[in-house]
């Protein structure tokens, strides 16, 4: 009964009796509305099938609407059959209503040169990309962090340097985890999501399309995720996502956008998933990608300092290849399970850490499709040439690292703060930063939500200089705020040295901000941050609650879920050291983490008195030494 | 190189993702395709003109539904046609089901899959019923005109098409269910 009525209702053939009957049924069961909607939706599907779904034509405000023939015909019929009886006056009212809406809703051109309201035209600034008020020292020259005090307690293998030039070394020699069968069993449990289905994304709309050249020949298919409202100035980031072998653009961008939103509800980024010309990405796609980037820069308000490329598998090979060949375009590269397409840039930067791109590599050791040696090769090239990089190697994980949402969320947060290190600021951003020129003004702005958001958005060295100045403020709230903002902007080497000064601050809020920020950047292979944190956590004079907070952050880091490498050696060292700490809370915390990494607990119990702990602690130290400096196997 | 302005692309994406569920929303409430199309057009125009009022921290679909609700209320105030009673419950249920559909349309394969299922289901109808549907949808003929062509009664035409639509609806959802089971992963 209801089906018949619903069908008549949506097909426009319902009589007054049908309507009355339908209303009765709805009053008795309001869920019937769902059936009506689904019937209406099905009607739309039939119209799609027969190709008669009206074409919606939207014109910019203040212009006359050019209706298509179909739409014009329908409107004419509508006016005749429905509106004419209402009289000419109703039509006139509607006309004026539309006119008023159009006039009132006129939108400024998104590419107009509107400047932020805090900046006046007189505030023409001097370039801020040259360091004037402080110089960030490279990590090796930083005197602030001597060898951690606790390292004197036990003879430990030296930490592997990150940036030394080891010309002839093999990756397997520098990364002892290569012989995974020889290593103690680690038990990381990455959350592997088997199904990645598109989810609705608030604040974003999706656009599938084809980029064509002037001769109408296809350059590239794409799926764009665009913020629903475009900013007036060029400030969006651009993430280019490259699919794996035989893949396509349709869903490649979805998980990245979800991860970006996990990090920031309004990530201010365009995500573009691209499709290779052939089935897979090859070197022949290079020019098409450049064309796409140029088109995107022309079409959307994108800040060219914020272009990051991300690829998985064959797409990982592509980003290694393309990124290394175009450092002038790219702020960062994320290669997941990718082949080694890395080529040393022809113009090798003098100080790659301070002027080159940043890299994030993730790979599973059990990957049989693209072996982990490729990722190790890229990491080694980066290390030898002094680039900053994050290397995540997941023991026992195959060719599905990308399915690990923690990894996706991690690299999303990592890439959000990247800015091209040598590209100058836009005029708009230079003007916006002029408001922070005077110290008192800068501090006042820094404490406001909008002021902080502006700094996070602009990012890069000019902003780090402002924050570095704020760290020296007399106002503890400003110091804490500056350190907090560093967590989302820091991408230059040496910043952690400044942030670490907050660990010795008299104000607890500043110390906590420093712990949080250093934990964040320490998880991205910033050895200065890790040294500072480990020293703080290992120092028995530090506040217990803050030591616990530090150790908790380190044990929850993604670095610790990865194979033991130079990136996480310090964390292991700290945990072993804490097994013999005076505080039982810390001993328990360290042991609860270590026992997940090693099946044999060596008889250790955190509640044992100091004397009885001695033997188990020595056994743990031996385990640690063997883990990072294994005894060569006898022939 | 394409010369599309960002505003055009934004508008295109806006329409591509939201036209179908918006039309269904209005058709369900008004029972008239032409009015539904007209209101849908007006929602898009309103969204375009007041784009700067949108708060990016909130769901975009919910914002559009807000505009749609406003248009619907306005239409109810001015229309003399007999419509469904626009109470809170109806709006609430309409919003809920529109939200579900909007979320499904995020999937770029959703509409192509439905169309391909419909194409397969069409083959299961008789030639005569297919012809009726074509006249109804493609030629936009009234039931009376279709009845004249087929020398049938108007009621019989309406009944036949009503039955055909229900058969197709069931067939499409069955085929889509099968597809989902077969392709579960990506």
């Amino acid at each position: 009964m209801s089906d018949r009525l619903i069908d008549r209702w949506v097909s426009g053939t319902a009589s007054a009796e049908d309507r009355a009957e339908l209303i009765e049924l709805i009053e008795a069961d309001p869920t019937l509305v769902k059936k009506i909607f689904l019937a209406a939706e099905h009607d739309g599907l039939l119209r799609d099938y027969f190709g008669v779904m009206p074409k919606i034509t939207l014109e910019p405000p203040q212009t006359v609407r050019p209706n298509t023939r179909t739409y014009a015909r329908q409107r004419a019929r509508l006016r005749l059959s429905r509106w004419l009886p209402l009289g000419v006056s109703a039509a006139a009212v509607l006309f004026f209503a539309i006119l008023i809406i159009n006039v009132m809703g006129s939108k400024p051109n998104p590419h107009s040169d509107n400047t932020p309201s805090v900046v006046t035209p007189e505030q023409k600034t001097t370039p801020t990309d040259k360091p004037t008020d402080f110089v960030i020292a490279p990590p090796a020259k930083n005197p602030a962090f001597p060898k951690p005090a606790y390292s004197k307690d036990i003879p430990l293998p030296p930490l592997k340097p990150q940036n030394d030039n080891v010309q002839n070394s093999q990756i397997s020699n520098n990364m002892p985890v290569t012989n995974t069968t020889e290593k103690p069993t680690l038990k990381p449990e990455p959350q592997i999501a088997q199904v990645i289905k598109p989810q609705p994304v608030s604040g974003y709309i999706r656009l599938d399309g084809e980029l064509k050249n002037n001769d109408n020949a296809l350059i590239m298919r794409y799926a764009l995720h665009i913020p629903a409202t475009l900013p007036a100035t060029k400030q969006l980031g651009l993430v280019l996502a490259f699919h794996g072998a035989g893949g396509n653009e349709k869903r490649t961008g979805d998980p990245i956008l979800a991860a970006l939103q996990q990090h920031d509800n309004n990530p201010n980024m365009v995500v573009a998933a691209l499709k290779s010309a052939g089935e897979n990405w090859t070197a022949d796609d290079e020019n098409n990608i450049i064309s796409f980037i140029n088109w995107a820069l022309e079409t959307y308000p994108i800040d060219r300092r914020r272009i990051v490329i991300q690829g998985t598998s064959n797409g990982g090979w592509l980003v290694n290849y393309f990124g290394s060949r175009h450092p002038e375009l790219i702020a960062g590269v994320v290669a997941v399970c990718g082949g080694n397409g890395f080529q040393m840039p022809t113009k090798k930067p003098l100080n790659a850490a301070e002027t080159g791109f940043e890299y994030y590599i993730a790979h599973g050791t059990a990957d049989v499709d693209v072996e982990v040696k490729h990722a190790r090769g890229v990491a080694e090239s980066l290390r030898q040439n002094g680039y900053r990089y994050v290397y995540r190697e997941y023991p026992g994980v195959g060719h599905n690292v990308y399915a690990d949402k923690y990894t996706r969320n991690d690299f999303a947060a990592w890439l959000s703060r990247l800015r091209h290190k040598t590209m100058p600021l836009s005029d708009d951003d230079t003007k916006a930063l002029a408001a922070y020129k005077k110290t008192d003004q800068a501090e006042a702005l820094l404490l406001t939500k909008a002021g902080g958001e502006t700094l996070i958005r602009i990012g890069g060295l000019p902003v780090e200089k402002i924050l570095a100045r704020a760290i020296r403020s007399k106002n503890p709230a400003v110091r804490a705020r500056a350190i907090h903002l560093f967590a989302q902007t820091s991408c230059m080497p040496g910043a952690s040295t400044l942030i670490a000064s907050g660990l010795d601050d008299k104000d607890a809020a500043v110390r906590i901000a420093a712990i949080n920020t250093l934990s964040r950047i320490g998880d991205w292979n910033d050895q200065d941050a890790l040294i500072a944190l480990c020293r703080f956590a290992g120092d028995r004079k530090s506040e217990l609650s803050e030591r616990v907070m530090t150790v908790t952050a380190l044990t929850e880091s993604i670095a610790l879920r990865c194979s033991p490498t130079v990136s996480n050696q310090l964390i292991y060292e700290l945990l072993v050291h804490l097994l013999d700490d005076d505080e039982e809370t810390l001993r328990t915390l360290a042991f609860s983490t270590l026992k997940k990494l090693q099946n044999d607990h060596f008889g250790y119990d955190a509640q044992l008195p100091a004397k009885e702990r001695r033997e188990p602690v020595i056994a743990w130290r031996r385990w640690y030494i063997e883990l990072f400096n294994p005894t060569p196997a006898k022939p | 190189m394409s010369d599309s302005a960002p505003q055009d692309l934004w508008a295109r994406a806006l329409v591509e993702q939201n036209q179908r569920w918006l039309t269904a929303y209005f058709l369900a409430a008004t029972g008239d395709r032409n009015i539904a199309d007209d209101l849908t057009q007006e929602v898009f125009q309103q969204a375009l003109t007041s784009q700067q009022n949108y708060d990016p921290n909130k769901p975009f679909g919910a914002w559009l539904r807000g505009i749609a609700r406003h248009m619907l209320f306005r239409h109810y105030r001015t229309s003399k046609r007999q419509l469904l009673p626009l109470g809170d419950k109806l709006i609430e249920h309409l919003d809920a089901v529109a939200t579900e559909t909007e979320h499904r349309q995020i999937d770029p394969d959703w509409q192509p899959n439905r169309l391909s299922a419909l194409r397969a289901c069409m083959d299961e109808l008789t030639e005569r019923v297919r012809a009726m549907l074509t006249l109804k949808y493609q030629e936009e003929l009234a039931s009376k005109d279709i009845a004249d062509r087929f020398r049938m009664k108007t009621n019989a035409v309406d009944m036949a098409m009503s039955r055909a639509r229900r058969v197709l609806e069931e067939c499409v959802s069955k085929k889509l269910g099968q597809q989902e089971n077969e392709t579960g992963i990506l």
Side-chain angles (χ1 to χ4, degrees):
Chain A
M1 180 64 160
S2 64
D3 286 348
R4 182 180 55 80
L5 287 173
I6 290 170
D7 188 75
R8 284 188 192 174
W9 178 254
V10 297
S11 60
T13 55
S15 62
E17 291 76 32
D18 289 337
R19 176 186 165 271
E21 210 175 326
L22 193 57
I23 289 172
E24 272 181 30
L25 289 171
I26 290 172
E27 279 168 0
D29 178 14
T31 58
L32 205 59
V33 172
K34 184 172 180 179
K35 276 184 102 172
I36 301 175
F37 179 93
L38 292 175
E41 194 197 5
H42 183 70
D43 185 74
L45 181 66
L46 281 163
R47 293 170 81 194
D48 255 348
Y49 174 83
F50 287 107
V52 291
M53 185 59 95
K55 188 172 168 58
I56 301 282
T57 316
L58 298 175
E59 70 283 353
Q62 295 179 328
T63 61
V64 179
R65 178 184 302 171
N67 282 329
T68 61
R69 189 181 297 169
T70 309
Y71 187 66
R73 194 172 66 232
Q74 285 172 342
R75 280 191 69 84
R77 192 191 305 125
L78 185 67
R79 274 195 295 275
L80 283 172
S81 62
R82 310 290 175 202
W83 291 1
L84 200 57
L86 297 176
V88 177
S89 58
V93 167
L94 184 67
F95 172 77
F96 283 114
I98 292 172
L99 193 67
I100 289 165
I101 289 168
N102 286 347
V103 170
M104 289 179 69
S106 65
K107 189 178 178 300
N109 178 356
H111 290 301
S112 67
D113 288 324
N114 289 348
T115 52
S117 56
V118 291
V119 180
T120 61
E122 298 81 52
Q123 287 172 306
K124 196 80 178 173
T125 59
T126 54
T128 52
D129 51 345
K130 289 180 185 172
T132 50
D133 49 357
F134 84 100
V135 176
I136 294 178
K141 292 175 188 172
N142 167 29
F145 300 108
K147 199 73 176 163
Y150 56 82
S151 65
K152 291 172 189 167
D153 297 351
I154 46 175
L156 295 172
L159 294 170
K160 297 281 191 292
Q162 292 279 306
N163 295 326
D164 61 347
N165 287 317
V166 186
Q167 295 299 332
N168 299 316
S169 66
Q170 293 299 313
I171 188 73
S172 55
N173 294 336
N174 290 306
M175 295 189 174
V177 289
T178 310
N179 301 322
T180 48
T181 52
E182 304 283 331
K183 296 288 151 256
T185 312
L186 298 176
K187 297 185 289 184
E189 292 169 358
Q191 301 291 312
I192 303 298
Q194 291 298 337
V195 179
I196 303 171
K197 287 196 170 182
Q199 295 293 321
V201 183
S202 72
Y204 267 77
I205 49 176
R206 178 188 170 112
L207 177 66
D208 291 80
E210 292 178 343
L211 179 64
K212 293 181 175 176
N213 63 15
N214 291 332
D215 301 327
N216 211 30
L218 178 69
I219 296 175
M220 190 166 270
R221 254 171 41 208
Y222 60 80
L224 282 175
H225 298 270
I226 323 155
T229 43
L230 295 174
T233 57
K234 288 181 177 269
Q235 56 177 256
L236 297 176
L238 173 65
V239 181
L240 299 175
F242 297 87
H243 60 75
N248 60 43
E249 79 288 6
K250 288 187 176 175
R251 290 181 184 172
T252 309
D254 298 355
I256 297 177
L257 183 58
L260 285 168
Q261 290 210 310
Q262 180 78 21
H263 167 63
D264 183 347
N265 201 26
N266 181 20
N268 232 14
M269 290 193 124
V270 171
V271 176
L274 307 179
K275 172 61 191 153
S276 54
E279 196 173 345
N280 301 332
W281 295 105
T282 66
D284 294 341
D285 288 296
E286 189 174 2
N287 287 335
N288 290 347
I289 296 166
I290 293 173
S291 298
F292 183 86
I293 292 174
N294 289 335
W295 171 79
L297 288 170
E298 284 167 16
T299 311
Y300 293 99
I302 289 169
D303 180 352
R304 54 174 66 241
R305 297 182 310 137
R306 296 185 64 192
I307 302 176
V308 178
I309 52 176
Q310 182 277 336
T312 311
S313 191
N314 171 238
W317 172 87
L318 189 275
V319 295
N320 283 327
Y321 175 78
F322 186 85
S324 57
R325 286 171 60 86
H326 295 284
E328 78 285 359
L329 291 174
I330 306 297
V333 178
V334 180
V336 183
C337 311
N340 187 354
F342 188 85
Q343 298 182 351
M344 192 53 216
T346 45
K347 283 185 185 175
K348 185 183 165 189
L350 287 175
N351 185 345
E354 290 183 13
T355 57
F357 47 58
E358 302 239 341
Y359 236 88
Y360 189 109
I361 305 163
H363 217 109
T365 60
D367 191 336
V368 290
D369 295 319
V370 180
E371 291 179 25
V372 71
K373 68 179 181 187
H374 293 278
R376 290 176 181 165
V378 177
E380 178 62 1
S381 300
L382 294 167
R383 191 187 71 79
Q384 285 186 5
N385 290 289
Y387 285 94
R388 273 163 49 103
Y389 65 94
V390 179
Y391 183 70
R392 305 271 196 238
E393 188 177 286
Y394 296 98
V397 176
H399 197 57
N400 58 346
V401 169
Y402 191 61
D404 179 16
K405 71 176 178 183
Y406 293 101
T407 298
R408 295 201 305 268
N409 291 347
D410 185 54
F411 73 64
W414 173 86
L415 69 84
S416 297
R417 80 206 207 297
L418 294 187
R419 302 290 182 273
H420 200 285
K421 292 172 183 168
T422 55
M423 242 176 233
L425 290 180
S426 67
D427 289 345
D428 289 323
D429 288 346
T430 305
K431 284 176 191 169
L433 286 190
Y436 297 81
K437 203 173 176 186
K438 290 183 179 171
T439 305
D440 50 347
Q441 263 186 331
E443 291 187 0
L445 270 175
L446 208 70
L447 293 172
T448 62
K449 186 169 181 268
E453 283 173 351
T454 302
L455 293 181
I456 290 170
R457 179 180 65 70
I458 296 174
L461 183 61
V463 166
E464 290 188 25
K465 283 159 59 183
I466 292 168
L467 295 179
R469 203 172 60 203
I471 284 180
R472 299 191 212 107
S473 166
K474 289 177 184 172
N475 182 349
V478 172
R479 297 200 295 275
R481 174 77 168 152
I483 289 175
H484 171 74
L485 291 175
F486 252 122
Q488 293 167 79
T489 57
S490 162
C491 59
M492 296 299 286
S496 48
T497 309
L498 293 158
I499 301 162
S501 64
L503 292 174
D504 299 323
D505 201 283
K506 289 176 184 172
D507 192 278
V510 180
R511 293 199 299 275
I512 288 168
I515 291 169
N516 289 333
T517 299
L518 289 170
S519 310
R520 175 60 124 183
I521 58 182
D523 202 11
W524 291 325
N525 192 22
D526 188 315
Q527 292 295 305
D528 285 342
L530 278 182
I531 288 171
L533 282 177
C534 290
R535 191 195 66 166
F536 182 77
D539 188 348
R540 292 168 192 187
K541 289 176 192 165
S542 303
E543 283 281 331
L544 176 61
S545 60
E546 289 166 11
R547 293 178 71 197
V548 170
M549 185 189 283
T550 308
V551 176
T552 305
L554 290 172
T555 54
E556 286 173 358
S557 67
I558 292 202
L560 205 54
R561 298 169 70 229
C562 301
S563 301
T565 64
V566 288
S567 305
N568 55 21
Q569 184 178 354
L570 266 173
I571 308 175
Y572 280 82
E573 186 177 325
L574 172 71
L575 294 176
V576 170
H577 172 74
L578 290 175
L579 290 177
D580 207 19
D581 197 273
D582 293 343
E583 296 290 345
E584 188 184 324
T585 314
L586 287 166
R587 293 201 300 273
T588 307
L589 190 55
F591 181 57
S592 65
T593 306
L594 284 171
K595 70 183 182 186
K596 290 179 194 163
L597 306 170
Q598 162 63 19
N599 290 327
D600 188 352
H601 302 165
F602 306 118
Y604 182 86
D605 186 334
Q607 292 178 333
L608 289 174
K611 275 187 184 175
E612 291 175 42
R613 285 202 306 266
R614 193 167 176 276
E615 284 303 314
V617 168
I618 288 171
W620 274 106
R621 285 175 183 173
R622 284 204 191 100
W623 167 81
Y624 165 76
I625 292 166
E626 182 67 17
L627 188 65
F628 283 93
N629 206 10
T631 315
K634 287 179 185 174
Chain B
M1 195 72 68
S2 168
D3 57 353
S4 299
Q7 202 63 24
D8 294 342
L9 291 172
W10 184 88
R12 214 180 92 202
L14 175 76
V15 170
E16 274 181 14
Q17 272 184 27
N18 300 292
Q19 182 182 6
R20 288 174 186 85
W21 70 262
L22 271 171
T23 308
Y25 180 92
F26 288 125
L27 179 56
T30 63
D32 188 310
R33 270 184 218 137
N34 293 327
I35 293 175
D37 290 342
D38 214 45
L39 289 171
T40 305
Q41 167 87 21
E42 287 181 33
V43 168
F44 286 129
Q45 197 61 51
Q46 180 67 41
L48 187 68
T49 53
S50 57
Q51 189 190 344
Q52 65 272 37
N53 295 340
Y54 168 65
D55 175 359
N57 292 316
K58 292 181 180 162
F60 189 70
W63 182 66
L64 275 185
R65 275 191 295 283
I67 299 176
R69 215 163 27 236
H70 173 74
M71 294 289 175
L72 198 55
F73 279 120
R74 200 187 65 185
H75 179 73
Y76 267 62
R77 279 198 299 275
T78 54
S79 173
K80 284 188 177 173
R81 189 174 182 269
Q82 297 287 300
L83 302 163
L84 290 185
L86 200 61
D88 289 346
K89 277 189 180 170
L90 185 139
I91 284 291
E92 191 184 308
H93 284 93
L94 206 51
D95 267 5
V97 67
T99 308
E100 280 175 29
T101 307
E102 181 227 333
H103 289 181
R104 284 204 300 270
Q105 290 183 3
I106 302 279
D107 182 350
D109 290 337
W110 187 70
Q111 189 65 5
N113 284 346
R114 293 179 78 221
L115 276 172
S116 93
L118 179 62
R119 212 164 283 126
C121 291
M122 277 286 182
D123 294 341
E124 292 176 16
L125 298 179
T126 62
E127 190 69 37
R128 188 181 173 87
V129 174
R130 272 207 302 272
M132 281 183 193
L133 286 172
T134 307
L135 290 174
K136 177 81 178 172
Y137 281 92
Q138 215 161 38
E139 305 295 323
E140 299 185 38
L141 290 188
S143 298
K144 187 178 173 304
D145 298 330
I146 299 171
D148 288 347
R149 287 207 188 183
F150 286 90
R151 294 182 184 173
M152 291 168 71
K153 287 185 178 173
T154 310
N155 271 352
V157 169
D158 282 340
M159 286 283 279
M161 281 197 291
S162 174
R163 204 164 37 238
R165 275 193 292 263
R166 280 207 299 277
V167 166
L168 288 174
E169 202 174 341
E170 283 164 17
C171 172
V172 166
S173 54
K174 197 173 159 190
K175 283 195 186 297
L176 289 177
Q178 279 172 359
Q179 267 182 25
E180 201 157 300
N181 289 338
E182 284 163 13
T183 56
I185 294 175
L186 278 187

